[in-house]
Amino acid sequence: MKRWLLGQFIAMLAVGAVTGIGLTLLGVPQAVSLALIAALLEFIPFIGPIVAAIPALLVAFIEGGMTPLYVALLPRRAAGQGDIC
């Protein structure tokens, strides 16, 4: 159980860091807050990352342009699931 929690914590840190960096590079406002939400919700299997993407997408739609598309692809990359084959 202890190792599982450590693994979850490391995954949460990784997703939060990658999301924060990605949102910052995309120029999304409140990138740190959105990354913190993504990191915390990573703990919830399956639905957590989906729920975490909703606020980021809403903020990205306000920014306009191609930003919502890039933000939609970012959580998959942060979770290591973005291989396009």
Coordinates of all heavy atoms in Angstrom, one line a residue:
M1 N 0.8 -1.2 0.0 CA 0.0 0.0 0.0 C 0.9 1.3 0.0 O 0.5 2.2 -0.7 CB -0.9 0.0 1.2 CG -1.8 1.1 1.3 SD -3.2 1.0 0.1 CE -4.3 2.1 0.8
K2 N 2.0 1.2 0.8 CA 2.8 2.4 0.9 C 3.5 2.7 -0.5 O 3.6 3.8 -0.9 CB 3.9 2.1 1.9 CG 4.8 3.3 2.2 CD 5.8 3.0 3.3 CE 6.7 4.2 3.6 NZ 7.6 3.9 4.6
R3 N 3.9 1.7 -1.2 CA 4.5 1.9 -2.5 C 3.5 2.4 -3.5 O 3.8 3.1 -4.4 CB 5.2 0.6 -3.0 CG 6.4 0.3 -2.2 CD 7.1 -0.9 -2.8 NE 8.3 -1.2 -2.0 CZ 9.1 -2.2 -2.3 NH1 8.9 -3.0 -3.3 NH2 10.1 -2.4 -1.5
W4 N 2.3 1.9 -3.4 CA 1.2 2.3 -4.4 C 1.0 3.8 -4.2 O 0.9 4.6 -5.1 CB -0.1 1.5 -4.1 CG -1.2 2.0 -5.0 CD1 -1.4 1.6 -6.3 CD2 -2.2 2.9 -4.7 NE1 -2.5 2.3 -6.8 CE2 -3.0 3.0 -5.8 CE3 -2.6 3.5 -3.5 CZ2 -4.2 3.8 -5.8 CZ3 -3.7 4.4 -3.5 CH2 -4.5 4.5 -4.6
L5 N 0.9 4.2 -2.9 CA 0.7 5.7 -2.6 C 1.8 6.5 -3.1 O 1.6 7.6 -3.6 CB 0.4 5.9 -1.1 CG -1.0 5.6 -0.6 CD1 -1.0 5.7 0.9 CD2 -2.0 6.5 -1.2
L6 N 3.0 6.0 -2.9 CA 4.2 6.7 -3.4 C 4.2 6.8 -5.0 O 4.4 7.9 -5.5 CB 5.5 6.0 -3.0 CG 6.8 6.6 -3.5 CD1 7.0 8.0 -2.9 CD2 8.0 5.7 -3.1
G7 N 3.8 5.7 -5.6 CA 3.6 5.8 -7.1 C 2.6 6.8 -7.5 O 2.8 7.5 -8.5
Q8 N 1.4 6.8 -6.8 CA 0.4 7.8 -7.1 C 0.9 9.2 -6.9 O 0.6 10.1 -7.7 CB -0.8 7.5 -6.3 CG -1.7 6.3 -6.7 CD -2.3 6.5 -8.0 OE1 -1.9 5.9 -9.0 NE2 -3.2 7.4 -8.1
F9 N 1.6 9.4 -5.9 CA 2.1 10.8 -5.6 C 3.1 11.2 -6.7 O 3.0 12.4 -7.1 CB 2.8 10.8 -4.2 CG 3.3 12.1 -3.8 CD1 2.5 13.2 -3.5 CD2 4.7 12.3 -3.8 CE1 3.0 14.4 -3.2 CE2 5.2 13.6 -3.5 CZ 4.3 14.6 -3.1
I10 N 4.0 10.3 -7.1 CA 4.9 10.6 -8.2 C 4.2 10.9 -9.5 O 4.5 11.9 -10.2 CB 5.9 9.5 -8.4 CG1 6.9 9.5 -7.1 CG2 6.7 9.7 -9.6 CD1 7.7 8.2 -7.1
A11 N 3.1 10.1 -9.8 CA 2.3 10.4 -11.0 C 1.6 11.7 -10.9 O 1.5 12.5 -11.9 CB 1.3 9.2 -11.2
M12 N 1.1 12.1 -9.7 CA 0.4 13.3 -9.6 C 1.4 14.5 -9.8 O 1.0 15.5 -10.4 CB -0.2 13.4 -8.2 CG -1.4 12.5 -8.0 SD -1.9 12.3 -6.2 CE -2.4 13.9 -5.8
L13 N 2.6 14.4 -9.2 CA 3.6 15.4 -9.4 C 4.0 15.6 -10.9 O 4.1 16.7 -11.4 CB 4.9 15.1 -8.6 CG 4.8 15.4 -7.1 CD1 6.1 14.9 -6.4 CD2 4.6 16.8 -6.8
A14 N 4.2 14.4 -11.6 CA 4.5 14.5 -13.0 C 3.5 15.2 -13.8 O 3.7 16.0 -14.6 CB 4.8 13.1 -13.5
V15 N 2.2 14.7 -13.6 CA 1.1 15.3 -14.4 C 1.0 16.8 -14.1 O 0.8 17.6 -15.0 CB -0.2 14.5 -14.1 CG1 -1.4 15.3 -14.7 CG2 -0.1 13.1 -14.7
G16 N 1.1 17.2 -12.8 CA 0.9 18.6 -12.5 C 2.1 19.4 -13.1 O 1.8 20.5 -13.6
A17 N 3.3 18.9 -13.0 CA 4.4 19.6 -13.6 C 4.3 19.8 -15.1 O 4.4 20.9 -15.7 CB 5.7 19.0 -13.2
V18 N 4.0 18.7 -15.8 CA 3.9 18.8 -17.3 C 2.7 19.6 -17.7 O 2.8 20.4 -18.6 CB 3.8 17.3 -17.9 CG1 3.4 17.4 -19.3 CG2 5.0 16.6 -17.6
T19 N 1.6 19.5 -17.0 CA 0.4 20.3 -17.3 C 0.7 21.8 -17.0 O 0.4 22.7 -17.9 CB -0.8 19.9 -16.5 OG1 -1.0 18.5 -16.7 CG2 -2.0 20.7 -16.8
G20 N 1.4 22.1 -15.9 CA 1.7 23.5 -15.6 C 2.6 24.1 -16.7 O 2.4 25.2 -17.1
I21 N 3.7 23.4 -17.0 CA 4.6 23.8 -18.0 C 3.9 24.0 -19.4 O 4.0 25.0 -20.1 CB 5.8 22.9 -18.2 CG1 6.6 22.9 -16.9 CG2 6.6 23.2 -19.4 CD1 7.7 21.8 -16.8
G22 N 3.1 23.0 -19.8 CA 2.4 23.1 -21.0 C 1.4 24.3 -21.1 O 1.4 25.1 -22.1
L23 N 0.6 24.5 -20.0 CA -0.3 25.6 -20.0 C 0.4 26.9 -20.0 O -0.1 27.9 -20.6 CB -1.3 25.5 -18.8 CG -2.3 24.3 -18.9 CD1 -3.1 24.2 -17.6 CD2 -3.2 24.4 -20.1
T24 N 1.5 27.0 -19.3 CA 2.3 28.2 -19.3 C 2.8 28.6 -20.7 O 2.7 29.7 -21.1 CB 3.4 28.1 -18.3 OG1 2.9 27.9 -17.0 CG2 4.2 29.4 -18.2
L25 N 3.4 27.5 -21.3 CA 3.9 27.8 -22.7 C 2.8 28.2 -23.7 O 3.0 28.9 -24.6 CB 4.6 26.5 -23.2 CG 5.9 26.2 -22.5 CD1 6.5 24.8 -23.0 CD2 6.9 27.3 -22.7
L26 N 1.6 27.7 -23.5 CA 0.4 28.0 -24.3 C -0.1 29.4 -24.0 O -1.0 29.9 -24.7 CB -0.7 27.0 -24.2 CG -0.3 25.6 -24.9 CD1 -1.4 24.6 -24.5 CD2 -0.2 25.7 -26.4
G27 N 0.3 30.0 -22.9 CA -0.2 31.3 -22.5 C -1.6 31.3 -21.8 O -2.3 32.3 -21.9
V28 N -1.9 30.2 -21.3 CA -3.3 30.1 -20.6 C -3.2 30.7 -19.2 O -2.3 30.4 -18.5 CB -3.7 28.6 -20.5 CG1 -5.0 28.4 -19.7 CG2 -3.8 27.9 -21.8
P29 N -4.1 31.6 -18.9 CA -4.1 32.3 -17.6 C -4.4 31.2 -16.5 O -5.0 30.2 -16.8 CB -5.2 33.3 -17.7 CG -5.7 33.3 -19.1 CD -5.2 32.1 -19.8
Q30 N -3.9 31.5 -15.3 CA -4.1 30.7 -14.2 C -3.5 29.3 -14.4 O -4.1 28.3 -13.9 CB -5.6 30.6 -13.8 CG -6.2 31.9 -13.5 CD -5.6 32.5 -12.2 OE1 -5.2 31.9 -11.3 NE2 -5.5 33.8 -12.3
A31 N -2.4 29.2 -15.1 CA -1.8 27.9 -15.4 C -1.4 27.1 -14.2 O -1.6 25.9 -14.1 CB -0.6 28.1 -16.3
V32 N -0.9 27.8 -13.2 CA -0.5 27.1 -11.9 C -1.7 26.5 -11.2 O -1.6 25.3 -10.8 CB 0.3 28.0 -11.0 CG1 0.7 27.4 -9.7 CG2 1.6 28.5 -11.7
S33 N -2.7 27.3 -11.1 CA -4.0 26.8 -10.5 C -4.5 25.6 -11.2 O -5.0 24.6 -10.6 CB -5.0 27.9 -10.4 OG -4.5 28.9 -9.7
L34 N -4.6 25.7 -12.5 CA -5.1 24.6 -13.3 C -4.2 23.3 -13.2 O -4.7 22.2 -13.2 CB -5.3 25.0 -14.8 CG -6.3 26.1 -15.0 CD1 -6.2 26.7 -16.4 CD2 -7.7 25.6 -14.7
A35 N -2.9 23.5 -13.1 CA -2.0 22.4 -13.0 C -2.2 21.7 -11.6 O -2.1 20.5 -11.5 CB -0.6 22.9 -13.2
L36 N -2.4 22.5 -10.6 CA -2.7 22.0 -9.3 C -3.9 21.1 -9.3 O -4.0 20.0 -8.7 CB -2.8 23.1 -8.2 CG -3.0 22.7 -6.8 CD1 -1.8 21.8 -6.3 CD2 -3.2 23.9 -5.9
I37 N -5.0 21.6 -9.9 CA -6.2 20.9 -10.0 C -6.0 19.5 -10.8 O -6.4 18.5 -10.3 CB -7.3 21.7 -10.7 CG1 -7.7 22.9 -9.9 CG2 -8.5 20.8 -11.1 CD1 -8.6 23.9 -10.6
A38 N -5.2 19.6 -11.9 CA -4.9 18.4 -12.6 C -4.1 17.4 -11.8 O -4.4 16.2 -11.8 CB -4.1 18.7 -13.9
A39 N -3.2 17.9 -11.0 CA -2.4 17.0 -10.2 C -3.2 16.3 -9.1 O -3.1 15.1 -8.9 CB -1.2 17.8 -9.5
L40 N -4.1 17.1 -8.5 CA -4.9 16.5 -7.4 C -5.9 15.5 -7.9 O -6.1 14.5 -7.3 CB -5.6 17.6 -6.6 CG -4.7 18.5 -5.8 CD1 -5.5 19.7 -5.2 CD2 -4.0 17.7 -4.7
L41 N -6.5 15.8 -9.1 CA -7.5 14.9 -9.6 C -6.9 13.7 -10.3 O -7.6 12.8 -10.6 CB -8.4 15.7 -10.6 CG -9.4 16.7 -9.9 CD1 -10.1 17.5 -11.0 CD2 -10.3 16.0 -9.0
E42 N -5.6 13.7 -10.5 CA -4.9 12.5 -11.1 C -5.1 11.3 -10.2 O -5.0 10.2 -10.6 CB -3.5 12.8 -11.3 CG -2.7 11.7 -11.9 CD -3.1 11.3 -13.3 OE1 -3.7 12.1 -14.0 OE2 -2.7 10.2 -13.7
F43 N -5.3 11.6 -8.9 CA -5.5 10.5 -7.9 C -6.7 9.7 -8.2 O -6.7 8.5 -7.9 CB -5.5 11.1 -6.5 CG -5.5 10.1 -5.4 CD1 -4.3 9.5 -5.1 CD2 -6.6 9.7 -4.8 CE1 -4.2 8.5 -4.1 CE2 -6.6 8.7 -3.8 CZ -5.4 8.1 -3.4
I44 N -7.7 10.3 -8.8 CA -9.0 9.6 -9.0 C -8.9 8.8 -10.4 O -8.7 9.5 -11.4 CB -10.2 10.6 -9.1 CG1 -10.3 11.4 -7.8 CG2 -11.5 9.8 -9.4 CD1 -11.3 12.5 -7.9
P45 N -9.0 7.5 -10.3 CA -8.8 6.8 -11.6 C -9.8 7.1 -12.6 O -11.0 7.3 -12.3 CB -8.9 5.3 -11.1 CG -8.8 5.3 -9.7 CD -9.2 6.7 -9.2
F46 N -9.4 7.1 -13.9 CA -10.2 7.2 -15.1 C -10.9 8.6 -15.2 O -10.7 9.3 -16.2 CB -11.3 6.1 -15.2 CG -10.7 4.7 -15.2 CD1 -10.9 3.9 -14.1 CD2 -9.9 4.3 -16.2 CE1 -10.3 2.7 -14.0 CE2 -9.3 3.0 -16.2 CZ -9.5 2.2 -15.1
I47 N -11.7 9.0 -14.3 CA -12.5 10.2 -14.4 C -11.8 11.4 -13.9 O -12.1 12.5 -14.4 CB -13.9 10.0 -13.7 CG1 -14.8 11.1 -14.2 CG2 -13.7 10.1 -12.2 CD1 -16.3 10.8 -14.0
G48 N -10.8 11.3 -13.1 CA -10.1 12.4 -12.5 C -9.4 13.3 -13.6 O -9.6 14.5 -13.6
P49 N -8.7 12.7 -14.5 CA -8.1 13.5 -15.6 C -9.1 14.2 -16.5 O -8.9 15.3 -17.0 CB -7.2 12.5 -16.4 CG -6.9 11.5 -15.4 CD -8.1 11.4 -14.5
I50 N -10.2 13.6 -16.7 CA -11.3 14.1 -17.6 C -11.9 15.4 -16.9 O -12.0 16.4 -17.5 CB -12.4 13.1 -17.9 CG1 -11.7 12.0 -18.7 CG2 -13.5 13.7 -18.6 CD1 -12.6 10.8 -18.9
V51 N -12.2 15.2 -15.6 CA -12.7 16.3 -14.8 C -11.7 17.5 -14.7 O -12.1 18.6 -14.8 CB -13.1 15.8 -13.4 CG1 -13.6 17.0 -12.5 CG2 -14.3 14.8 -13.5
A52 N -10.4 17.1 -14.6 CA -9.4 18.2 -14.5 C -9.2 18.9 -15.8 O -8.9 20.1 -15.8 CB -8.0 17.5 -14.2
A53 N -9.6 18.3 -16.9 CA -9.4 19.0 -18.2 C -10.5 20.0 -18.5 O -10.3 21.0 -19.2 CB -9.4 18.0 -19.4
I54 N -11.6 19.9 -17.8 CA -12.8 20.8 -18.1 C -12.5 22.2 -17.8 O -12.7 23.1 -18.6 CB -14.0 20.2 -17.3 CG1 -14.5 18.9 -17.9 CG2 -15.2 21.3 -17.4 CD1 -15.6 18.2 -17.2
P55 N -12.0 22.6 -16.5 CA -11.7 24.0 -16.3 C -10.6 24.5 -17.2 O -10.7 25.7 -17.7 CB -11.2 24.0 -14.8 CG -11.4 22.7 -14.3 CD -11.7 21.7 -15.4
A56 N -9.6 23.7 -17.5 CA -8.5 24.2 -18.5 C -9.1 24.5 -19.8 O -8.7 25.4 -20.5 CB -7.4 23.1 -18.5
L57 N -10.0 23.6 -20.3 CA -10.6 23.9 -21.6 C -11.5 25.1 -21.6 O -11.5 25.9 -22.6 CB -11.4 22.6 -22.0 CG -10.6 21.5 -22.6 CD1 -11.5 20.2 -22.7 CD2 -10.0 21.8 -23.9
L58 N -12.2 25.3 -20.5 CA -13.1 26.5 -20.4 C -12.2 27.8 -20.5 O -12.6 28.7 -21.2 CB -13.9 26.5 -19.2 CG -15.0 25.4 -19.1 CD1 -15.7 25.4 -17.8 CD2 -16.0 25.6 -20.2
V59 N -11.1 27.8 -19.8 CA -10.2 28.9 -19.8 C -9.6 29.1 -21.2 O -9.5 30.2 -21.7 CB -9.1 28.8 -18.7 CG1 -8.1 29.9 -18.9 CG2 -9.8 28.9 -17.3
A60 N -9.3 28.0 -21.8 CA -8.7 28.1 -23.2 C -9.7 28.6 -24.2 O -9.3 29.3 -25.1 CB -8.2 26.7 -23.6
F61 N -10.9 28.2 -24.1 CA -11.9 28.8 -25.0 C -12.1 30.3 -24.9 O -12.3 31.0 -25.9 CB -13.3 28.1 -24.8 CG -13.5 26.8 -25.5 CD1 -13.6 25.6 -24.8 CD2 -13.4 26.7 -26.9 CE1 -13.7 24.4 -25.4 CE2 -13.6 25.5 -27.5 CZ -13.7 24.4 -26.8
I62 N -11.8 30.8 -23.7 CA -11.9 32.3 -23.5 C -10.7 32.9 -24.3 O -10.9 34.0 -24.9 CB -11.8 32.6 -22.0 CG1 -13.1 32.2 -21.4 CG2 -11.6 34.1 -21.8 CD1 -13.1 32.3 -19.8
E63 N -9.6 32.2 -24.3 CA -8.4 32.7 -25.0 C -8.6 32.7 -26.5 O -8.1 33.5 -27.2 CB -7.1 31.9 -24.7 CG -6.6 32.1 -23.3 CD -6.1 33.5 -23.2 OE1 -5.2 33.9 -23.9 OE2 -6.5 34.2 -22.3
G64 N -9.3 31.7 -27.0 CA -9.6 31.6 -28.4 C -8.5 31.0 -29.3 O -7.5 30.5 -28.8
G65 N -8.7 31.1 -30.6 CA -7.7 30.6 -31.5 C -7.6 29.1 -31.4 O -8.5 28.3 -31.2
M66 N -6.3 28.6 -31.6 CA -6.1 27.1 -31.5 C -5.8 26.6 -30.1 O -5.6 25.4 -29.9 CB -4.9 26.8 -32.4 CG -5.1 27.0 -33.9 SD -6.4 25.9 -34.6 CE -5.5 24.4 -34.6
T67 N -5.8 27.5 -29.1 CA -5.5 27.2 -27.8 C -6.3 26.0 -27.2 O -5.8 25.1 -26.6 CB -5.5 28.4 -26.9 OG1 -4.7 29.4 -27.4 CG2 -5.1 28.1 -25.5
P68 N -7.7 26.0 -27.4 CA -8.5 24.9 -26.9 C -8.0 23.5 -27.5 O -8.0 22.6 -26.7 CB -9.9 25.2 -27.3 CG -9.9 26.7 -27.5 CD -8.5 27.1 -28.0
L69 N -7.7 23.5 -28.7 CA -7.2 22.2 -29.3 C -5.9 21.8 -28.6 O -5.8 20.6 -28.3 CB -7.0 22.4 -30.8 CG -6.4 21.2 -31.5 CD1 -7.3 20.0 -31.4 CD2 -6.0 21.5 -32.9
Y70 N -5.0 22.7 -28.5 CA -3.7 22.3 -27.8 C -3.9 21.9 -26.4 O -3.3 21.0 -25.9 CB -2.7 23.5 -27.9 CG -2.3 23.8 -29.3 CD1 -2.2 25.1 -29.7 CD2 -2.1 22.8 -30.3 CE1 -1.8 25.5 -31.0 CE2 -1.8 23.2 -31.6 CZ -1.6 24.5 -31.9 OH -1.3 24.8 -33.2
V71 N -4.8 22.6 -25.7 CA -5.1 22.2 -24.3 C -5.8 20.9 -24.2 O -5.5 20.1 -23.3 CB -5.9 23.3 -23.6 CG1 -6.5 22.9 -22.2 CG2 -5.1 24.6 -23.4
A72 N -6.7 20.6 -25.2 CA -7.3 19.3 -25.2 C -6.3 18.1 -25.4 O -6.5 17.0 -24.8 CB -8.4 19.2 -26.3
L73 N -5.3 18.4 -26.1 CA -4.3 17.3 -26.3 C -3.3 17.2 -25.2 O -2.6 16.2 -25.0 CB -3.5 17.6 -27.6 CG -4.4 17.5 -28.9 CD1 -3.5 17.9 -30.1 CD2 -5.0 16.1 -29.1
L74 N -3.1 18.3 -24.4 CA -2.1 18.3 -23.4 C -2.3 17.3 -22.3 O -1.4 16.6 -21.9 CB -2.1 19.7 -22.7 CG -1.0 20.0 -21.7 CD1 0.4 19.8 -22.3 CD2 -1.2 21.3 -21.1
P75 N -3.5 17.1 -21.7 CA -3.6 16.1 -20.7 C -3.2 14.7 -21.1 O -2.7 13.9 -20.4 CB -5.1 16.1 -20.3 CG -5.6 17.4 -20.7 CD -4.8 17.8 -21.9
R76 N -3.5 14.3 -22.4 CA -3.1 13.0 -22.9 C -1.6 12.9 -22.9 O -1.0 11.9 -22.6 CB -3.6 12.8 -24.3 CG -5.2 12.6 -24.2 CD -5.7 12.1 -25.5 NE -5.1 10.8 -25.8 CZ -5.0 10.3 -27.0 NH1 -5.4 10.9 -28.0 NH2 -4.4 9.1 -27.2
R77 N -0.9 14.0 -23.3 CA 0.6 14.0 -23.3 C 1.1 13.9 -21.9 O 2.1 13.2 -21.6 CB 1.1 15.2 -24.0 CG 0.8 15.3 -25.5 CD 1.3 14.2 -26.3 NE 2.7 14.1 -26.2 CZ 3.4 13.1 -26.7 NH1 2.8 12.0 -27.2 NH2 4.7 13.0 -26.5
A78 N 0.5 14.6 -21.0 CA 1.0 14.6 -19.6 C 0.8 13.3 -19.0 O 1.7 12.9 -18.2 CB 0.2 15.7 -18.8
A79 N -0.2 12.5 -19.3 CA -0.4 11.2 -18.8 C 0.4 10.1 -19.5 O 0.4 9.0 -19.2 CB -1.8 10.8 -18.8
G80 N 1.2 10.5 -20.6 CA 2.0 9.6 -21.3 C 1.2 8.7 -22.3 O 1.6 7.7 -22.7
Q81 N 0.0 9.2 -22.7 CA -0.9 8.5 -23.5 C -1.0 9.1 -24.9 O -2.0 8.8 -25.6 CB -2.3 8.4 -22.9 CG -2.3 7.8 -21.6 CD -3.7 7.9 -20.9 OE1 -4.5 8.5 -21.4 NE2 -3.8 7.3 -19.7
G82 N -0.1 10.0 -25.3 CA -0.3 10.7 -26.5 C 0.4 10.2 -27.7 O 0.6 10.9 -28.7
D83 N 0.8 8.9 -27.7 CA 1.5 8.4 -28.9 C 0.6 8.3 -30.0 O -0.5 7.7 -29.9 CB 2.1 7.0 -28.5 CG 3.2 7.1 -27.4 OD1 3.8 8.2 -27.3 OD2 3.3 6.1 -26.7
I84 N 0.9 8.9 -31.1 CA 0.1 8.9 -32.3 C 0.7 7.9 -33.3 O 1.8 8.1 -33.8 CB 0.0 10.3 -33.0 CG1 -0.6 11.3 -32.0 CG2 -0.8 10.2 -34.2 CD1 -0.6 12.7 -32.5
C85 N 0.0 6.8 -33.4 CA 0.5 5.7 -34.4 C -0.6 5.2 -35.2 O -1.7 5.1 -34.9 CB 1.0 4.5 -33.6 SG 2.5 4.9 -32.7

